Every structure is written in structure tokens, then in C-alpha cells.
Amino acid sequence: MPVKVSVIIPVYNPGIYIEDCISSLQRQSLPPDEFEVIFVDDGSTDETPARLDRLAAEDPRMKVIHQENSGWSGKPRNVGIAASRGEFVMFVDNDDYLGDEALERMYDYGVANGADVIVGKMAGKGRGVPVELFRRNHPRATVENAPLIDSLTPHKMIRRAFLDRIGLRFPEGRRRLEDHVFIAEAYLRAENVSVLSDYVCYYHLRRDDGSNAGFERFDPVGYFKNLREALDVVERYTEPGPVRDRLFRRWLRVEMVERLRARRLLKLPDDYRRKLFAEIHDVVVERFGPGVAAGLQPTQQVVAALTAADRYDDVVSFAQWEAGVAPRATPGEVAWREGSLRVAFTAEYLSGGEPMTFPAGAEATPLTDVPKDVPEAVAWVASETAARFGQATADLLLRERSSAAQYFQPVEFSRETVPVGDGEEVRLVLRATATVDPADLPGDGVWDAVVRVKLGGWTKECRLGPAALPDRPTPGAGVVGERAVLPYWTDPHGNLSLELGTRGKRLGLGGVQQGDVTVSEGVFRVRLPLHVPGDTDVRLRFVSSSRILEAAGTLSPGGAGSVLTAALPAEDLSSGIWRVALCLTPGAEGARFTGLPFALRAGDGSVLVAPVPGPGAALRLARRARRVLGAARRKVVSRIRTGGQ
């Protein structure tokens, strides 16, 4: 069968970090005969070459090419392209890894949309990745209708025939930003680019040893020399005007202005800061017309203007002011509504730990001249931010704690100006309500609530919290989409998180009282502090000292929680004490039961609710139950199925 995808991986001394990469490739859902993996070892001096040779000997999909060290990733990627047989090539770094269905999903999506380039959703573990680009799928994306230019790393799937037709390869040698040169040209010359945003395809990692090439301090002279080559590509394939200005703005914003802002600048040694500033100043003056900086956010415009004017000291002073600006998101109501979690919050920016204030009735004024000093710059930013308040937005993202995968949640919000003092100044407050459907989240685990605030010149994120203890909303667990879901507040910080796949004591069933349980005419009912959107099938287990019985049950919405109903296997409940356990997800693999804080006493033809046996009795009961379970492996366990099951 023809190879659909060739995965190309440049390798240089990754050590143990390559293992996650290898494992993710071996787990791919794409059939084994439809993809190949080409590792190009660029003169590694650790144990990796031998590790890859063993891998290739064991797995026919894996191929290894050894070469002398070339200095950077460009040549190994080009060697991989030359050796590839796939319809598409996929570039992966040796210390990153793929989602299990990444190759299959990206290939199918690209073929369906006739794409030359497919950009898969990324998650950054300890490092930044584009966010706005992956807000939704873009089957036909261009640099004009989507923020493609925000993603210039090489981790894309690209049609091999397209690369050959236009003769596109990576620049080689010891250099920076070779991926910017390559990807920018691919975007500008592709017949179509497709962005897949509903599945995390690529996990971009920051290594614990800090040796990722992108985090090493670079030589500013060489770096910005290479950056000019990316600008050359844009000039070659665009005409002067708004599109070129918008593309150039990406490099001005990300590679220049953002390096000169707030803590990112202040943490650098002064001598290095000055070298960095000097090189950025030269590029800004040489390459960017007034239309490039004019499209930036207010704070970025100030930094760009001060840089162009060669005012290093003012750039540092402005960074010191900006370092004190941070968002705050305060939780409001958090409650279940028909299977979704409604999360209300307010958000605003703080300066020096206090709510920022802005001039009331401000009007937008273009920055036509360089501010004469930093106070004037700060005053212009405040006025411009207030004037642009109608463009401010608030988003809620859920970020999976172990993988950093994140998903936007539907949000409705309003903007409110809150007068301060005599009314000449106002606070700018966003009031929002998000609707979280846990069934849309792709996996179990802990998901942290993160608020993303765009206001004036800032786009920043913070955790949703803390929630004050006296009035902290405390919704109980729910059962949604065949998973138990627990909203909770972290300790000690009091931020909102969701645990999917919750089990055991964290479900909060320990507070159920005997008075919440009734047994009448063979029907067992109990009120539980669990939210369900509708009738939900569950399973019950009854355990005595000698037997284990199971029965089907139903959770139905009722009051502040739900009502569990099940037909008791009354004729099989022999005299004695029966512990009761509940499985909320009977259809799940490896379904588990959680004990309920009461027992049933059977005898004389009746079943009564009873306290849980004391520690000694419970221990004896557990030991006997284990013996029963052991016997069940050799015999058929009595299982009572009710309701036709």
C-alpha cells in the first residue's frame, strides 16, 4: 500500500526525551503500512544512535539515517525529505510528541480539503503555542483570513509534491529561524492551507534540562540577520500594502517588541539588553514602514515607537511599569444546569496589585509622535485602552493539567465601566458567563479553568480564582457523558478546576444519611448529591459476608441532586448485613464501584436500612468478600439483572 505520511525527525542528543516521541509514533491510529518514520541522526554523541538502530531493527516503519553534525535542523530535515516515500511529510522534533490520532486526522483533513499544508492544533507544555489560530477549524485558511502567521514552527504536515513543484527546502547550516523562512514561503505559495483545531495533534515541550534550542540565549547579530531572510520571503511573494504590513507586524510584535516588554526584558543582563535593543532598532528602522507598527496594540505601539527613536532607557522604564500589570478573574456563580456547568466571573486588569483606572469618556487618538517621556506614554496607553474598551474580550479555556491541551468554552460577556471617585476615572470590567459541557472534553484527568483577557494593549491569562471561602460556590459532582465530573477549588490557592473520571471519596457521597434512603415494595431509593442531566443508567453492588449480587439502577434528576432507584434482588438477599456500592459508569472499561455510607439489613422477609458495620465487622466482611471474589473466578457469581438487562 502507498505510504500516506513520512514523519521526519531531526535528532541530536535528545537522551530520554526521545522516548515519548517514539511511543507516540508507535501508538498512531494510522495503519502501520500507511506511514513511515525517518530519524535523521545529526551526529549525536549520546546513546541515541544505538537506540534508534535497535528500534529500526525491531519496527519496519522506523528508518534511521546517520550523518555528521550539520549544526542545526535544516539539513537533517532536507535529508529526510529526500528519503521520504510519503504523499505528505510531517515534521516532528525529537523531544516533542504527537497525539495518538494525529497522523490519521491530519492526513484525512488535508485530503478532504485539497490542502498543501495542514496545521494541527498544538499544546505547549512549558512553552507558548498559538492560541487564537486554534479557536476553530479553518478548512481553507490564508494569511489574510486566519492568523496563520502566528504559527511558524515547522511542525506541520506538507504535501511532498508541493515541495518538489516549488523547490522548497529548509535553509541549512548553523543558523536561526530556518523554519520561519520555510513555513512563510509554504503559506504564501500553497494552493490551500487547512487548520485542524478540534484535536490536539502536536505536543510542544520545554525540556526539564532547559536545553531546547529555542530557549538558549542567542547572538542578536546573527539572529536578526536570519530574521531579515524571513522578511525577504514576504517581500518576494507579496505586494506593498496592508497584507505585507500585517505579515511584517508578526515579526515586529513577536520577535522584537515582545522581547522588549515587562519582565521578559528586565530579567536580562543590561549589557545583553543593550545589544538586543540595538539590533532590533536597526531592523525596525531599515525594514518597517509606518503601517506596520500602526496595527499593533497600544502598549506595543509605544515600545515600537521608543525603539525606532533609539530611546533605550525609556524602553526599560516602560517595561518596569508594565511589569506590574496583571489580570484578575473573580469567580461568581458556579452551578450545574442541564448537564452543563455554568461558570460566571468578572475580569479586569490590576496595576501594582490594585484595579487599574482609566480616563472616563476617552476618545481614540493615533500615536503620531513619539511620547516625550514614559508618563506621557502611560497616559496615552490608558486613554487608548479606555477608547478601545468596546473591543475587549474575555474567554474561558479549560487546560488539561498533564498535557497542557486547552479548549475554548462558549462564553457570553458584557463590558462595564465602573466610576471611581469623582467620576473622572473608571474601572474597565468584563462580566462573563461560560457554559462548560464536560462531554466535549476529550479525556479524563484534571482540567484547570483559565481566563484569557484581551484589553487595550494586553492579552494575558490567569487562573479563575481565588474564590473567597465565605461565599465560595460549591457545586457537587455530576455524571455527564458517561463520566463522573467534579468541579472543585484547589488548595490552597482556591482556583477552579474540574476532575473528570472522579472516583471514591472525592465524589462526596460520604455525606448521604440513612434518612435519605428508603426501601419500599422491593424498590430501593436514595437521594444523592450528584447532578445528572436526565435518566442515567448505573449499577449497584450488594456485598455480604458470603455473596456478591449486582443490579441495574437509574439516576434521575431530583431537587438539588438526583434520586437513585433500583429494584432490589430481594429474593436473593439472604439474612444478614449487605454493604452497598455504586458504579456510575457501568459501560466504561475497568468500571469501579464506590461504597455508599449505609448498609441494608435483610431478614424475616424484609429489608431495612442500617448503619455501616463498625471497623471490626467491616474488616471481617471485607475479608469474607475477598474470599467470595476469589471463588467467583472459579465459579459463576450470582448476578441479578433487572429491567430486562
Side-chain angles (χ1 to χ4, degrees):
M1 180 172 291
V3 174
K4 291 180 176 178
V5 182
S6 297
V7 182
I8 298 171
I9 307 173
V11 178
Y12 182 73
N13 288 354
I16 62 171
Y17 294 97
I18 201 171
E19 296 303 328
D20 285 342
C21 179
I22 292 171
S23 296
S24 75
L25 292 164
Q26 293 176 323
R27 292 195 304 268
Q28 287 302 301
S29 61
L30 195 65
D33 59 347
E34 295 183 3
F35 75 97
E36 64 179 359
V37 180
I38 303 171
F39 294 95
V40 182
D41 173 42
D42 197 43
S44 293
T45 58
D46 62 2
E47 301 299 321
T48 304
R51 168 72 176 100
L52 294 178
D53 287 341
R54 292 194 301 271
L55 177 68
E58 298 165 357
D59 190 333
R61 296 171 297 181
M62 311 292 172
K63 299 175 176 59
V64 184
I65 298 172
H66 298 284
Q67 65 180 32
E68 292 185 2
N69 183 256
S70 65
W72 208 251
S73 301
K75 183 175 181 179
R77 292 192 185 110
N78 289 341
V79 168
I81 294 171
S84 65
R85 298 179 295 127
E87 180 184 353
F88 287 84
V89 292
M90 173 77 193
F91 299 105
V92 176
D93 283 347
N94 60 191
D95 40 21
D96 297 334
Y97 64 91
L98 297 175
D100 292 356
E101 301 173 21
L103 298 182
E104 181 177 18
R105 285 178 179 251
M106 292 177 73
Y107 176 85
D108 289 346
Y109 192 67
V111 170
N113 292 295
D116 289 327
V117 181
I118 305 99
V119 186
K121 181 182 178 77
M122 301 176 72
K125 299 183 70 174
R127 64 189 305 165
V129 296
V131 176
E132 293 298 329
L133 177 61
F134 300 120
R135 185 181 284 271
R136 62 177 180 84
N137 285 346
H138 297 269
R140 301 196 65 82
T142 69
V143 294
E144 297 183 52
N145 67 18
L148 279 178
I149 203 67
D150 286 352
S151 181
L152 290 175
T153 63
H155 315 118
K156 318 288 189 280
M157 186 177 287
I158 304 179
R159 192 182 296 272
R160 170 65 191 273
F162 162 69
L163 294 178
D164 291 343
R165 175 170 55 83
I166 68 172
L168 181 58
R169 295 295 186 270
F170 287 91
E172 297 183 2
R174 298 189 64 84
R175 52 166 297 121
R176 296 273 183 170
L177 303 180
E178 83 291 340
D179 47 356
H180 287 206
V181 174
F182 180 90
I183 295 298
E185 183 168 347
Y187 285 159
L188 292 170
R189 301 186 69 183
E191 292 186 7
N192 184 39
V193 179
S194 293
V195 180
L196 177 64
S197 300
D198 54 10
Y199 178 80
V200 179
C201 299
Y202 197 93
Y203 292 87
H204 202 23
L205 275 63
R206 181 170 187 169
R207 287 165 56 158
D208 296 335
D209 61 5
S211 61
N212 299 80
F215 287 97
E216 296 174 357
R217 188 171 297 172
F218 55 79
D219 168 45
V221 175
Y223 188 88
F224 288 100
K225 176 184 176 182
N226 295 151
L227 184 144
R228 288 175 172 90
E229 295 175 25
L231 302 181
D232 292 341
V233 170
V234 175
E235 288 187 343
R236 189 177 306 127
Y237 295 107
T238 64
E239 296 295 328
V243 173
R244 179 182 292 180
D245 285 348
R246 187 185 311 133
L247 297 179
F248 275 178
R249 194 173 299 137
R250 185 270 175 210
W251 280 278
L252 174 60
R253 172 174 53 87
V254 177
E255 304 298 337
M256 302 179 205
V257 168
E258 289 301 317
R259 296 184 187 277
L260 300 177
R261 290 181 70 184
R263 291 185 177 86
R264 187 171 180 184
L265 175 68
L266 299 177
K267 71 181 181 181
L268 298 173
D270 183 66
D271 59 343
Y272 183 79
R273 287 200 308 237
R274 290 181 181 275
K275 293 178 183 177
L276 183 68
F277 177 84
E279 291 300 320
I280 291 174
H281 164 75
D282 288 347
V283 177
V284 170
V285 172
E286 291 171 12
R287 304 298 294 264
F288 299 144
V292 179
L296 294 172
Q297 294 299 319
T299 49
Q300 296 166 341
Q301 286 190 49
V302 166
V303 176
L306 294 174
T307 301
D310 203 15
R311 286 166 50 182
Y312 170 78
D313 291 338
D314 283 344
V315 167
V316 174
S317 296
F318 190 77
Q320 291 169 338
W321 170 75
E322 243 197 311
V325 175
R328 177 176 66 187
T330 304
E333 180 188 36
V334 180
W336 288 105
R337 296 284 188 276
E338 299 178 349
S340 295
L341 196 66
R342 300 273 289 177
V343 180
F345 62 91
T346 60
E348 65 180 317
Y349 273 93
L350 310 181
S351 180
E354 297 296 327
M356 291 187 73
T357 58
F358 304 85
E363 296 183 0
T365 304
L367 187 66
T368 54
D369 296 317
V370 183
K372 70 176 186 296
D373 54 28
V374 171
E376 182 177 284
V378 171
W380 181 80
V381 166
S383 179
E384 197 69 9
T385 299
R388 298 184 183 203
F389 188 41
Q391 302 171 21
T393 60
D395 280 296
L396 183 76
L397 296 93
L398 288 183
R399 181 177 295 156
E400 208 274 323
R401 190 175 294 175
S402 66
S403 70
Q406 56 188 18
Y407 293 86
F408 283 96
Q409 304 302 301
V411 171
E412 295 179 352
F413 66 88
S414 61
R415 306 175 183 94
E416 180 179 348
T417 56
V418 180
V420 177
D422 58 8
E424 293 186 2
E425 292 190 327
V426 294
R427 290 164 52 198
L428 304 179
V429 179
L430 292 159
R431 300 189 181 278
T433 301
T435 302
V436 177
D437 184 352
D440 291 339
L441 296 174
D444 290 347
V446 175
W447 294 76
D448 295 320
V450 176
V451 173
R452 180 177 174 87
V453 183
K454 296 179 69 174
L455 171 63
W458 301 281
T459 300
K460 293 178 180 286
E461 296 177 350
C462 64
R463 291 292 308 278
L464 178 53
L469 277 172
D471 53 356
R472 179 179 290 178
T474 54
V479 184
V480 181
E482 299 185 350
R483 287 187 293 188
V485 182
L486 175 67
Y488 73 97
W489 303 98
T490 62
D491 184 22
H493 300 294
N495 296 321
L496 181 65
S497 294
L498 270 68
E499 183 178 305
L500 273 64
T502 308
R503 296 167 177 164
K505 293 181 179 179
R506 289 181 61 80
L507 286 168
L509 302 181
V512 175
Q513 305 294 317
Q514 285 183 233
D516 297 322
V517 188
T518 60
V519 179
S520 176
E521 298 180 352
V523 177
F524 169 80
R525 292 184 178 86
V526 55
R527 289 192 171 277
L528 297 176
L530 293 173
H531 172 83
V532 291
D535 288 351
T536 302
D537 292 336
V538 295
R539 195 145 195 88
L540 287 163
R541 178 174 284 173
F542 304 93
V543 181
S544 74
S545 60
S546 59
R547 300 181 68 195
I548 296 176
L549 306 176
E550 288 190 10
T554 302
L555 278 175
S556 303
S562 57
V563 177
L564 169 62
T565 305
L568 282 174
E571 66 278 9
D572 289 277
L573 289 176
S574 55
S575 297
I577 300 294
W578 293 80
R579 293 292 304 269
V580 184
L582 173 65
C583 177
L584 295 172
T585 54
E589 184 178 349
R592 295 187 181 183
F593 286 79
T594 298
L596 298 177
F598 56 84
L600 299 179
R601 183 188 297 276
D604 298 328
S606 65
V607 179
L608 304 175
V609 182
V612 174
L619 182 59
R620 291 192 297 273
L621 187 63
R623 287 172 176 168
R624 291 171 182 170
R626 282 196 292 270
R627 289 197 294 270
V628 172
L629 285 171
R633 295 188 181 95
R634 299 182 296 272
K635 301 178 181 179
V636 177
V637 176
S638 299
R639 295 185 180 271
I640 307 300
R641 305 184 185 274
T642 60
Q645 298 187 31

